[in-house]
Amino acid sequence: MKKIIYIGTAVSVCLAFMPLRGVSQETSPFGVCMHLSGGGEEYNQMPENLRMLREAGIRWVRADFSWGNIEGPQGTWHFEEQDRVVEEADRLGLRILAPLLYNVPWANPAYRHPEAWLAYVEKTVTRYKDKVRCWEIWNEPNLAPRFWEQRDDAANYVLLLQATYKKIKEIDPDLVVVHAGTAGIPMEYIEKSFAAGSGLFFDKFAIHPYRPLLDTWEATLRFREDLEKVRALMAGYGLEQKDIWLTEMGMSTMAGLEVRDGEVFHEAKAETGRDWKVAVVCDEDFPVAPSFSPQTVFPAGFRLDTVRISELRRVRLENYDAVFFPPTDNFPLHVSQIVAPHLTRYLRAGGKVYYYTGTGNVYYYGDAATKETNQANFIAQTVCLSLRFGIERYFCYEMESPEENIFDREDNFGLTHRGLRPKPSYHAYAAIGKLFPEGSTVDTSVEWRQKDCCVVSWRQADGTRVWAVWSPEGARRVNVKIGKGLRQALDGLGRALPAVTEASGTLETGAAITYLVGPETLEIQ
């Protein structure tokens, strides 16, 4: 098909096939990605981690059914782990989205070895078809060489998809086949996939639209526009009736790096209202520029201790308000296996870490609590907007953070800390999971952008109206008129807001969502 540019018509195309009265979710739209095979920690934590999903109102699990875990060596099959995953999920009433994926040594790449690949597909899908009804074919094939042999190879992915689709439909034509979730929203790759005929061989289309915070209207509108571009492109290839799934979406709580000026020390100290004790790192493995004097950075009100890198293990939040790295050509924060574990522990406890460049700039790491709050707000916002914009499934990446290193982005995506200790994002996801039960219907007639606020509304299966309200650009006092029937007001973590009543003339809004349960109407004035 000839390449067509749809950006200018994205809004009209999107609205053309959005139901007028609302978007119904007959089954739960909420899922979580978990690494349940390969004998890892999340596998060993079953069923407790699955129970936590159930308690949060989450009904879907995306769990890899990896070829390498199921077959190896060639002709030897191992289904014990998958058997347990399916059994535990089924016992708790959870549905599974099972990606079939990745090469094995004797069939690499898989698309060039269709007989071996399809033997794995047939054995796996046949074994679990009665309890696993949704199968995603590969993961992020546009990400080469990490997950695919070469870049921009959509045509060969479609060969794999086509063969797999036909085999799965032979086994059971009612099974759902999902196009591999793409890393980001690579429009050129997606169009190549459609042009190669992929639309004939999937029931659902998946993307992984990771992005930074939706902390401005520009960022919020960009999220909507990105989804609309995908819808418009699908419509151009006659695929407008096929649903979009976000099979990964989330935000890392990795210690954030901010570049600030030298005043950051004094601003942070002033917030505490007391003198600071600072651990200044300096030893032969971290030689400081001879011209540097800590006293020029830290005047009165700062007490300084010099510590060696090997002594960072004794730095605790109760002993030091901050860790400071003076300017050097040998800054070890990202690379030192000695530094990272100690600073990971210190930052997670609420500490602050600074590196002074010597040119007046400061690299500031922290604080962990802010990152976790941002993650919770981001997940709740993108869930609500996804529901409003007609996304059928949303899978949060991921359940548990490995947390070996707070400076590693991939290590810190989870809804929980290591050991299943919930982050605020778990409670935020649980809040909306409980407020949007199966059978809920999004009301698309409610304008989602109203003055300074985002507003999303839905009806639960029993007819109860729920409103989600937040302000992307920070704290606002919003004039409102709350209709009759308010049963409860909740904050973004699902906690009661007793001060909010039908008589309230204002709402304190911000990045965290406020939920109003019960009122038939809500006016943002």
Side-chain angles (χ1 to χ4, degrees), residues 274-465:
R274 55 178 168 73
D275 288 351
W276 266 24
K277 188 174 181 181
V278 180
V280 179
V281 180
C282 181
D283 66 15
E284 61 270 18
D285 293 323
F286 189 72
V288 176
S291 60
F292 175 77
S293 170
Q295 284 70 29
T296 63
V297 177
F298 298 105
F302 292 91
R303 188 170 138 206
L304 310 180
D305 274 357
T306 299
V307 300
R308 299 165 61 88
I309 286 178
S310 61
E311 295 173 327
L312 282 172
R313 65 182 179 274
R314 68 178 175 83
V315 173
R316 297 282 191 276
L317 188 61
E318 56 267 28
N319 300 327
Y320 293 98
D321 296 283
V323 174
F324 175 76
F325 289 85
T328 179
D329 292 330
N330 186 30
F331 182 54
L333 190 55
H334 285 303
V335 297
S336 172
Q337 294 181 348
I338 298 173
V339 169
H342 302 315
L343 295 185
T344 293
R345 169 187 48 75
Y346 179 71
L347 278 166
R348 187 156 289 126
K352 301 179 187 298
V353 177
Y354 303 96
Y355 167 51
Y356 188 70
T357 66
T359 61
N361 290 328
V362 176
Y363 291 159
Y364 162 54
Y365 293 84
D367 61 47
T370 299
K371 301 301 175 184
E372 291 182 14
T373 298
N374 289 342
Q375 181 198 44
N377 293 336
F378 176 84
I379 289 172
Q381 291 172 3
T382 54
V383 167
C384 284
L385 291 173
S386 295
L387 291 171
R388 175 60 178 79
F389 301 146
I391 299 299
E392 189 177 40
R393 297 280 181 275
Y394 180 111
F395 288 83
C396 186
Y397 188 87
E398 57 186 328
M399 180 60 177
E400 183 185 31
S401 298
E403 291 185 342
E404 297 293 338
N405 184 350
I406 201 168
F407 303 111
D408 184 337
R409 180 173 179 268
E410 290 293 328
D411 250 15
N412 295 277
F413 267 95
L415 294 169
T416 75
H417 294 288
R418 189 171 184 173
L420 298 179
R421 181 168 57 89
K423 296 180 186 177
S425 56
Y426 171 81
H427 298 296
Y429 204 15
I432 193 167
K434 294 171 183 176
L435 289 171
F436 196 100
E438 296 187 36
S440 297
T441 302
V442 178
D443 187 347
T444 58
S445 69
V446 173
E447 177 57 47
W448 72 274
R449 181 176 183 178
Q450 300 185 30
K451 299 187 178 179
D452 288 334
C453 296
C454 287
V455 180
V456 179
S457 183
W458 60 88
R459 286 194 186 277
Q460 298 173 344
D462 65 0
T464 300
R465 170 81 78 169

Side-chain angles (χ1 to χ4, degrees), residues 161-171 201:
L161 176 66
Q162 176 180 351
T164 309
Y165 177 91
K166 290 181 175 179
K167 176 59 68 177
I168 289 174
K169 295 297 183 176
E170 286 175 9
I171 296 168
F201 308 113

Side-chain angles (χ1 to χ4, degrees), residues 9 31 37 76 103 107 132 134 151 196 249 278 291 360 363 411 415 426 457 472 478 515:
T9 60
S37 59
T76 303
N103 302 309
V132 180
C134 298
R151 296 185 185 278
M249 186 61 166
V278 180
S291 60
Y363 291 159
D411 250 15
L415 294 169
Y426 171 81
S457 183
V478 179
Y515 297 104

Side-chain angles (χ1 to χ4, degrees), residues 14 53 59 67 82 122 188 216 269 316 356 386 428 430 455 498 524:
C14 175
L53 296 189
R59 296 294 181 267
W67 190 0
Q82 270 66 32
E122 183 171 20
E188 184 175 351
T216 65
K269 173 182 172 294
R316 297 282 191 276
Y356 188 70
S386 295
V455 180
I524 307 294

